Amino acid sequence: MPFTAKILLLGSGELGREFVISAKRLGAYVVACDAYDNAPAMQVADSREVFSMLDGEQLRSAIETHQPDYVVPEVEAIRTEVLAEMEAKGVNIVPSARATQLTMNRDAIRDVAADELGLRTSVYAYAKNLEEVRAGAVKTGFPCIIKPVMSSSGKGQSTVRSEDELEGAWDYAVANMRGDRQRVIVEQFVDFDYEITLLTVRHRDGVSFCPPIGHRQERGDYQESWQPTAMSDEAIAQAQDMARKVVDDLAGDGGGYGLFGVEFFVKGEEVIFSELSPRPHDTGMVTSVSQNLTEFDLHARAIMGLHIPELIRARPAASAVILADRDSETLSYSGLAEAMAEGADIRIFGKPTSRPYRRMGVALACAGSTDEARRIAKDAAGKVRISYGD
Ligand SMILES: Nc1ncnc2c1ncn2[C@@H]1O[C@H](COP(=O)(O)OP(=O)(O)OP(=O)(O)O)[C@@H](O)[C@H]1O
Ligand SMILES: [Mg+2]
């Protein structure tokens, strides 16, 4: 076969699309899977399979049919029991079945981080009914944040300021959770100075880190990110130490190779672990212009057992998201020339449909400082116009 490795990509969004490009540059053959046809990564992959990643039978059948060298999850919502079963049979799950299982559930990864590894986290409690939510809030105090244990991109998440808002937050979490386990985490609201993603690569020669990425979130979803972000050497060292502990633990029985996005809150010199993705992170899209090896290149290299430089550098850069504001199946874009006038680059993901707040593209910019890069990226994102034909 004229390729170096066969990869089954589970989830075919914009992060998967960039990963496909990186993997194909290294000679891989990629089968891109997702629940809908013509997803962003499918458009650049060698072949595609359309099925729900939560359908265990179809997932097993896709792995058995394609016999991939690597199964690379791009989304959190996957029938992870099937991945564990396949790993036991010798299939290489990236980074490991354990990592995909633990990170899919906020309570599972929190138990490992806080209890087993002793990392500093916010004060938290779990609850499976309103009564337990009330008890949890007594432990965390107000304000607190309530999140379904299974959800992503801020879905079902709300900030609660007083006792009488608890019921509404519980109902909202249950209505927007994924899966059938009615369980939430009640977290103390961390009044952080800033938050970061520390891209951490676990590879054949050890663990490498990218310069920290700062980001700003709204509705639990990322709006802009920049790299590097100013942080004391002491705080970076704390974050790196925690990230190393988590990624080493998540390797489990799998190889544990790949890139992880480890999220932290920083207040003064105190670094607080939040959560992580065992795969490229959305805020890491900025590395498409800031680093000579992007987060997607690093993921592909680590997985394929290739060398990763010990020192990964970044020049000041930023990303800003381009969001849709309504449901549509007939989209078109304009304004790219104006958007690029100040030197920004634009990525349009090619999603076949839109809905309110869906991320359709991103603006990227490099400049003399991250402040300047943020301004350019944000202005550029605002100049891209999405037209809806229906
Ligand atoms: N305990 C907290 N204190 C303060 N802010 C918080 C807390 N938990 C979450 N947030 C804010 O909400 C954002 C999203 O939370 P979190 O990362 O836990 O959810 P998520 O749904 O997994 O998001 P994503 O999938 O986009 O990473 C955080 O990046 C942070 O800005
Ligand atoms: Mg997050």
Side-chain angles (χ1 to χ4, degrees):
M1 291 291 201
F3 48 81
T4 53
K6 190 169 184 183
I7 294 175
L8 189 72
L9 179 69
L10 304 178
S12 294
E14 59 268 30
L15 302 177
R17 177 183 174 108
E18 293 300 326
F19 170 76
V20 173
I21 294 168
S22 296
K24 287 194 62 63
R25 281 180 179 151
L26 298 175
Y29 178 95
V30 186
V31 182
C33 309
D34 209 317
Y36 65 98
D37 196 13
N38 221 18
M42 291 176 185
Q43 299 165 21
V44 295
D46 296 283
S47 63
R48 65 183 70 179
E49 292 278 0
V50 180
F51 64 93
S52 164
M53 303 301 108
L54 289 165
D55 183 328
E57 284 304 309
Q58 296 206 62
L59 177 55
R60 184 180 297 108
S61 148
I63 297 174
E64 283 168 351
T65 306
H66 291 285
Q67 306 262 323
D69 297 298
Y70 308 102
V71 173
V72 181
E74 187 242 17
V75 290
E76 228 171 58
I78 294 185
R79 194 53 62 199
T80 54
E81 306 90 278
V82 172
L83 300 184
E85 170 197 321
M86 289 292 161
E87 184 176 273
K89 288 185 183 160
V91 178
N92 189 333
I93 307 295
V94 171
S96 68
R98 175 177 168 81
T100 61
Q101 284 185 302
L102 293 181
T103 54
M104 187 165 158
N105 299 301
R106 292 184 199 280
D107 45 349
I109 185 66
R110 185 54 70 97
D111 285 345
V112 168
D115 298 344
E116 290 175 32
L117 302 174
L119 308 188
R120 182 187 294 122
T121 66
S122 59
V123 176
Y124 64 96
Y126 305 129
K128 49 185 188 314
N129 53 47
L130 183 56
E131 210 172 302
E132 291 181 7
V133 169
R134 292 194 201 284
V138 170
K139 186 174 171 193
T140 61
F142 292 101
C144 61
I145 298 201
I146 297 190
K147 310 171 189 174
V149 290
M150 262 209 240
S151 75
S152 54
S153 305
K155 291 197 186 71
Q157 173 175 326
S158 46
T159 304
V160 175
R161 292 193 167 70
S162 64
E163 177 86 42
D164 53 318
E165 288 175 14
L166 287 174
E167 185 166 0
W170 161 256
D171 291 343
Y172 182 65
V174 170
N176 291 283
M177 64 175 213
R178 200 166 57 212
D180 45 18
R181 217 160 48 109
Q182 288 203 359
R183 192 166 148 103
V184 300
I185 180 167
V186 183
E187 272 187 45
Q188 162 203 27
F189 180 87
V190 179
D191 183 24
F192 54 76
D193 298 333
Y194 58 97
E195 60 180 319
I196 64 153
T197 303
L198 184 65
L199 297 178
T200 303
V201 199
R202 196 167 179 284
H203 54 91
R204 55 180 283 179
D205 303 315
V207 176
S208 302
F209 302 98
C210 299
I213 296 170
H215 52 93
R216 191 176 60 76
Q217 306 257 335
E218 266 173 36
R219 301 172 306 276
D221 212 11
Y222 123 88
Q223 304 300 305
E224 46 167 345
S225 68
W226 54 94
Q227 187 192 32
T229 195
M231 206 171 159
S232 71
D233 289 347
E234 164 56 24
I236 291 186
Q238 282 183 48
Q240 291 186 347
D241 180 57
M242 290 195 254
R244 186 191 300 273
K245 283 186 180 140
V246 186
V247 304
D248 280 348
D249 180 275
L250 290 185
D253 299 326
Y257 290 170
L259 172 136
F260 301 71
V262 190
E263 300 176 25
F264 295 99
F265 302 138
V266 186
K267 186 165 177 57
E269 287 299 290
E270 196 176 53
V271 182
I272 299 161
F273 171 83
S274 174
E275 60 156 9
L276 83 156
S277 66
R279 61 184 74 93
H281 198 271
D282 51 9
T283 61
M285 271 188 283
V286 65
T287 62
S288 298
V289 293
S290 59
Q291 297 183 174
N292 55 346
L293 288 171
T294 69
E295 63 169 346
F296 313 101
D297 297 334
L298 292 166
H299 198 47
R301 281 194 181 211
I303 290 166
M304 293 167 78
L306 305 174
H307 178 69
I308 303 283
E310 204 181 309
L311 202 61
I312 301 160
R313 293 176 203 280
R315 54 181 177 160
S319 76
V321 300
I322 298 167
L323 305 178
D325 64 10
R326 71 193 77 162
D327 292 287
S328 176
E329 294 183 356
T330 44
L331 298 156
S332 59
Y333 300 87
S334 58
L336 266 68
E338 296 93 305
M340 290 173 166
E342 267 195 293
D345 198 359
I346 300 291
R347 300 281 152 91
I348 299 291
F349 305 146
K351 292 181 183 174
T353 63
S354 68
R355 55 176 178 267
Y357 297 120
R358 188 171 198 195
R359 200 186 298 143
M360 307 306 287
V362 71
L364 301 160
C366 289
S369 70
T370 51
D371 283 349
E372 180 66 357
R374 282 173 72 179
R375 190 193 60 72
I376 297 173
K378 223 169 149 219
D379 284 354
K383 286 184 179 136
V384 174
R385 286 186 302 279
I386 306 179
S387 308
Y388 307 89
D390 47 353

